[in-house]
């Protein structure tokens, strides 16, 4: 009689922890550098420090994503999951980070933190959308 991990974890607990992993990915990405000198760049590079070279916390959208991801996780863990909020923060964050990534060219390129944050935002949007679909199916079957 073998049971999978999914069968052993109660659905209510899975529901509470669903946005936590994507939020951890977003937070990890925010703490990483978002801009770096292109390692393939030949020639001189000006000595300048752009916001984001230290971490995403040097950028307004990095701070906003950090606060939103932590808030969504905490609310979910206490039982007030905001699926639409997860979807909006995930899509909005993905758009902002995607724009940021596209804006760098030449001697400076996006660093791994921007890419990790983008993946976390897309993951958060997917979890939020999936949660909305599951919740809608539950209400249709309950009626």
């Amino acid at each position: 009689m073998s049971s999978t991990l999914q069968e052993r974890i109660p659905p209510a607990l899975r529901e509470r922890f669903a946005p936590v992993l994507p939020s951890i990915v977003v937070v990890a990405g925010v703490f990483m550098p978002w801009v770096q000198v292109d390692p393939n760049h030949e020639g001189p590079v000006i000595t300048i420090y752009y916001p984001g070279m230290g971490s995403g916390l040097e950028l307004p959208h990095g701070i906003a994503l950090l606060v939103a991801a932590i808030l969504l996780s905490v609310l979910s863990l206490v039982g007030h999951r905001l699926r639409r909020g997860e979807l909006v923060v995930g899509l909005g964050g993905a758009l902002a980070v995607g724009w940021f990534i596209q804006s760098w060219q030449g001697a400076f390129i996006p660093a791994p933190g921007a890419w990790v944050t983008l993946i976390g935002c897309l993951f958060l949007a997917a979890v939020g959308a999936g949660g909305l679909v599951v919740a809608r199916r539950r209400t249709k079957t309950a009626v």
Side-chain angles (χ1 to χ4, degrees), residues 19 71-72 75-76 80-88 128 132:
L71 183 64
L72 287 170
L75 286 172
S76 180
H80 300 289
R81 184 166 175 205
L82 303 173
R83 293 172 193 89
R84 285 187 183 98
E86 295 163 11
L87 181 61
V88 168
L132 286 171

Side-chain angles (χ1 to χ4, degrees), residues 7 14 17 84 88 101 129:
E7 292 171 348
R14 281 194 310 250
F17 278 95
R84 285 187 183 98
V88 168
I101 288 171

Side-chain angles (χ1 to χ4, degrees), residues 15-27:
E15 178 76 12
R16 284 187 177 192
F17 278 95
V20 174
L21 181 59
S23 295
I24 290 171
V25 175
V26 170
V27 170

Side-chain angles (χ1 to χ4, degrees), residues 37-138:
V37 175
D38 185 353
N40 298 322
H41 178 73
E42 294 182 13
V45 177
I46 57 173
T47 306
I48 190 167
Y49 186 86
Y50 286 113
M53 290 181 103
S55 74
L57 291 172
E58 300 169 350
L59 304 162
H61 43 289
I63 295 170
L65 282 171
L66 177 73
V67 171
I70 291 172
L71 183 64
L72 287 170
S73 289
V74 169
L75 286 172
S76 180
L77 289 173
V78 297
H80 300 289
R81 184 166 175 205
L82 303 173
R83 293 172 193 89
R84 285 187 183 98
E86 295 163 11
L87 181 61
V88 168
V89 169
L91 290 177
L95 285 172
V97 175
W99 169 82
F100 179 84
I101 288 171
Q102 291 296 318
S103 66
W104 291 97
Q105 57 185 343
F108 297 94
I109 60 171
W115 294 104
V116 171
T117 306
L118 177 64
I119 291 167
C121 287
L122 293 172
F123 190 18
L124 186 61
V127 166
L132 286 171
V133 169
V134 169
R136 185 164 294 168
R137 285 185 184 161
R138 282 187 196 147

